[in-house]
Amino acid sequence: MADFLAGLIPLFIAELASATDEQINQARDAALEQIANHGDDLQFGGEHRRSSRTALARAFALLARAEGGVTALGVHACTAVHEGCPGLKPSASASPSSDTDS
């Protein structure tokens, strides 16, 4: 799921970059309705799996607009660099983080 989201979210972020407030609200409402009505298909597969996965990626793109972005399901999405952003590479002089996944 994380690979799917990581591939699709940037496309939706770009698509929504010039959206009006009304278009953002419509996209939010549509994604919310799809996920709420077909979350079981999203998780377990079914007739609405494709549209539900797409709605989830669109929801991430919408949430990426918030300050600090969104992190869930192993994916971080944001539209602006911010403190603590997982997309930032530490500088060569920075000490390694003690919070490693090793």
Side-chain angles (χ1 to χ4, degrees), residues 28-93:
R28 181 199 62 224
D29 292 347
L32 176 63
E33 183 175 342
Q34 180 67 31
I35 294 166
N37 289 329
H38 301 291
D40 54 339
D41 288 344
L42 175 65
Q43 185 173 1
F44 302 112
E47 181 180 348
H48 301 283
R49 185 172 194 188
R50 180 181 299 185
S51 57
S52 296
R53 287 168 55 122
T54 302
L56 181 62
R58 189 176 303 276
F60 265 83
L62 291 163
L63 291 168
R65 299 166 61 95
E67 185 177 333
V70 60
T71 303
L73 304 174
V75 176
H76 176 78
C78 59
T79 57
V81 176
H82 55 90
E83 186 177 332
C85 183
L88 291 176
K89 303 274 189 232
S91 66
S93 62

Side-chain angles (χ1 to χ4, degrees), residues 6-46:
L8 200 53
I9 292 168
L11 298 174
F12 286 134
I13 287 174
E15 179 184 284
L16 295 167
S18 61
T20 66
D21 287 343
E22 183 177 341
Q23 291 168 324
I24 294 293
N25 289 337
Q26 289 172 348
R28 181 199 62 224
D29 292 347
L32 176 63
E33 183 175 342
Q34 180 67 31
I35 294 166
N37 289 329
H38 301 291
D40 54 339
D41 288 344
L42 175 65
Q43 185 173 1
F44 302 112

